[in-house]
Amino acid sequence: MTPRSRRSSQGRGPVRALGTDLWFRCERDGSYVIGFTDVAQRRNGSFAFYRGPEVGRRYDPSEYAMTFESDKCVWHLSLPVEGTVIETNASLLADPRAINRDPYGAGWLYRMRPTRSGALERIAEQSARRSERAR
Amino acid sequence: MIAPTAHPALEDLPVWRLLNLGSCEPVRAQGFAEAVAPSVGRGDVPNTLLVVRTETPFVSLGFHQSYEEEIDPAFLDRHHIPVFRRVEGGGTAYLDSGQLLYYLVYRTAGRSGGGPSDLPRFLAGPLHAARSQGLAAEIRPPSDLTVGGRKISGNSGGDWADAHLIAGDLLGRTDHRAMADLFRLPHPALRSLLRREVRRWLTSWEGETGGPPDWKALTAALIEGFRAAGLFRLEPDRATAEEEHYFRAETVPHHYDRSWRDLPASSTPAGRLRRRIRVAGPHGLLVLDGTARGELSIGIVEGSELREAYLVGPGSTGGLRAIPIGGRIGADFQKEIRKVPGFD
């Protein structure tokens, strides 16, 4: 299962890889949904907890925005680019294993609006170029 | 690969600092690693292995555990022991002087530990220690050591102040009853069941060797285990004045801060799964909201297998009614258990 091969059934933008660990998808309103790739969910083991970013808050990528617990380890993650969080996946509170079961669907993490337009796409392209060069 | 088979030469290994705190008060036994983390994170001191025992018992809550849901207040009334929330994950644990605690504190250069990928690598230390003493220890992923299928060491990880911490315990001697009695249960009839299961799933150095642990030898075996596993070279040292100051000024108040201890569970299940009591690794009691009649359904799992199931009636003070079951269960216990008559 690769993010590039998937397309939303609801007519939104395609799912694109953001490095090896994250995917994003542009919504009709210009916001972006972010989630873990299949590679990342496998590497991190069984998810037991997810405390998402604060909705309505602007985060800088240098600060941690969310907390996970998987395979008995607590760890933190930042937003990939500066932006404001619009929504966090509340259903993961009761069912964090959805990240493992359905990383590109029910296991999405949060929805954000980047401060700078096109910021996620630029990072995705840089990351893809780095991967190409590494081959 | 979990246990390295070809070890680099000792002089090529990175140097870690060894802090052997000996036996000390509970807040120091749990909290001192957090006081070490800032200086490790800044690079003021090398990555550190800290080894310690607690003089008196305490209860350690996992980072995401709920104090209210986990701990039986009657147990605390009887035993008068402190409850501390740790920064590492995992479940609630009763820790006493029968256990050897160890903490690996290492720099993450401003990045989170990045998930649990480091933990299996470090299990090679206690694994080597146990095997060197003749115990047929195995790693049970993701984070336990077992002997004969029973847990003898639990480990978990977390981030604090630009450092990653892995906390573990090696069970020298186990107070099975205290382990079982600290948990809050939704029905008193479950207590005897839990006591039985704790005995079934936990073992100890004493239980395996037949004699009380020699703490000095056990500590030495653990330290040697990390070295022999080829992870790092240890240089004994003492905590710095700054670490001692941080411990007194920050760590101790933080540990006794009730707002930290009483943090609500971040993901209290809103569904029908009411309670999961993990005894050892994947083993534990699963207590579910019962039928519309208000009954509770209880499952005992061993690995991925649902071994036994019980039903207890609403308001019942009597025992449990066993329900015959069979077959394996998958990831979705709730779905599977409801296929069992009496659980639908």
Side-chain angles (χ1 to χ4, degrees):
Chain A
M1 186 162 46
T2 61
R4 284 179 183 279
S5 67
R6 298 175 64 91
R7 181 172 285 275
S8 164
S9 59
Q10 296 170 38
R12 293 167 291 191
V15 170
R16 295 185 60 183
L18 196 60
T20 56
D21 288 0
L22 296 174
W23 60 262
F24 69 97
R25 182 186 66 216
C26 185
E27 301 289 280
R28 281 182 179 146
D29 64 358
S31 66
Y32 290 81
V33 173
I34 314 281
F36 280 128
T37 62
D38 195 44
V39 169
Q41 70 81 12
R42 282 172 195 270
R43 194 183 58 239
N44 285 310
S46 178
F47 281 84
F49 292 94
Y50 167 57
R51 185 181 292 156
E54 195 180 322
V55 173
R57 190 179 151 189
R58 177 177 290 196
Y59 286 92
D60 185 271
S62 65
E63 62 182 323
Y64 292 136
M66 64 208 92
T67 301
F68 300 88
E69 183 172 336
S70 59
D71 282 358
K72 296 206 179 179
C73 281
V74 175
W75 49 286
H76 313 286
L77 202 63
S78 313
L79 264 56
V81 295
E82 185 187 291
T84 303
V85 173
I86 294 168
E87 186 182 3
T88 184
N89 186 353
S91 69
L92 294 180
L93 210 61
D95 183 22
R97 290 293 302 273
I99 298 171
N100 297 109
R101 284 198 314 274
D102 189 11
Y104 301 106
W108 66 276
L109 299 175
Y110 57 92
R111 195 158 63 88
M112 69 172 292
R113 197 179 295 282
T115 305
R116 280 177 286 281
S117 169
L120 284 167
E121 287 85 349
R122 279 194 291 279
I123 289 189
E125 283 153 18
Q126 285 165 10
S127 161
R129 278 199 296 273
R130 273 199 300 273
S131 298
E132 285 296 323
R133 280 199 297 270
R135 280 181 193 161
Chain B
M1 183 179 296
I2 289 168
T5 51
H7 299 157
L10 191 60
E11 59 272 20
D12 294 333
L13 292 175
V15 175
W16 281 41
R17 182 176 59 148
L18 170 64
L19 296 182
N20 186 349
L21 301 187
S23 182
C24 51
E25 60 177 329
V27 68
R28 192 170 174 88
Q30 168 152 307
F32 203 78
E34 290 172 38
V36 166
S39 49
V40 169
R42 285 192 305 269
D44 295 347
V45 296
N47 294 342
T48 299
L49 169 67
L50 192 154
V51 185
V52 63
R53 284 173 63 208
T54 177
E55 286 166 347
T56 55
F58 68 97
V59 174
S60 180
L61 278 174
F63 184 84
H64 284 111
Q65 301 301 128
S66 161
Y67 172 81
E68 193 183 347
E69 287 179 9
E70 288 286 300
I71 309 297
D72 183 357
F75 176 83
L76 296 183
D77 287 346
R78 282 198 307 276
H79 295 273
H80 304 288
I81 62 175
V83 180
F84 301 131
R85 181 180 298 283
R86 61 181 184 267
V87 297
E88 299 88 3
T92 303
Y94 172 85
L95 302 170
D96 65 12
S97 60
Q99 302 177 32
L100 185 61
L101 313 180
Y102 52 89
Y103 300 86
L104 297 126
V105 187
Y106 55 99
R107 197 174 179 201
T108 53
R111 290 185 65 248
S112 175
S117 53
D118 275 343
L119 210 156
R121 189 162 66 93
F122 286 118
L123 289 180
L127 178 71
H128 196 282
R131 288 181 175 175
S132 73
Q133 301 299 303
L135 300 185
E138 302 287 343
I139 290 175
R140 182 173 59 203
S143 59
D144 290 342
L145 290 188
T146 60
V147 177
R150 298 198 296 166
K151 179 173 174 175
I152 198 167
S153 169
N155 300 269
S156 58
D159 292 325
W160 193 252
D162 287 345
H164 192 67
L165 287 79
I166 288 176
D169 62 346
L170 205 49
L171 304 178
R173 197 177 55 232
T174 305
D175 186 339
H176 292 93
R177 191 175 177 107
M179 285 268 194
D181 287 0
L182 76 91
F183 290 106
R184 183 175 200 145
L185 296 176
H187 194 282
L190 293 174
R191 188 67 66 193
S192 59
L193 202 61
L194 186 57
R195 286 177 186 157
R196 187 197 73 182
E197 292 307 312
V198 167
R199 288 199 172 276
R200 192 194 297 265
W201 291 328
L202 288 181
T203 187
S204 66
W205 206 274
E206 186 176 70
E208 295 299 321
T209 64
D214 174 339
W215 291 109
K216 208 169 170 180
L218 189 56
T219 306
L222 180 67
I223 292 167
E224 171 61 17
F226 282 111
R227 190 203 64 75
L231 296 170
F232 40 73
R233 185 155 56 102
L234 285 162
E235 291 192 352
D237 203 347
R238 301 175 72 164
T240 65
E242 193 167 350
E243 288 166 336
E244 293 287 0
H245 173 75
Y246 187 97
F247 175 72
R248 287 190 302 273
E250 304 285 342
T251 310
V252 173
H254 187 235
H255 273 67
Y256 286 105
D257 179 355
R258 288 205 165 196
S259 64
W260 167 246
R261 185 199 70 178
D262 296 345
L263 276 176
S266 65
S267 60
T268 300
R272 289 192 292 185
L273 179 60
R274 177 177 282 181
R275 185 83 170 81
R276 175 164 185 153
I277 304 152
R278 283 182 189 274
V279 178
H283 303 324
L285 302 183
L286 291 163
V287 181
L288 298 113
D289 273 345
T291 64
R293 299 186 298 277
E295 294 164 322
L296 286 174
S297 48
I298 299 112
I300 296 180
V301 287
E302 190 163 333
S304 61
E305 193 128 339
L306 178 63
R307 206 185 63 219
E308 295 170 48
Y310 295 88
L311 202 66
V312 59
S316 164
T317 54
L320 302 161
R321 181 158 63 86
I323 298 170
I325 56 163
R328 296 181 66 79
I329 59 167
D332 192 343
F333 175 78
Q334 291 186 69
K335 190 175 160 192
E336 292 297 319
I337 199 172
R338 285 179 197 287
K339 293 177 183 170
V340 177
F343 286 78
D344 53 358

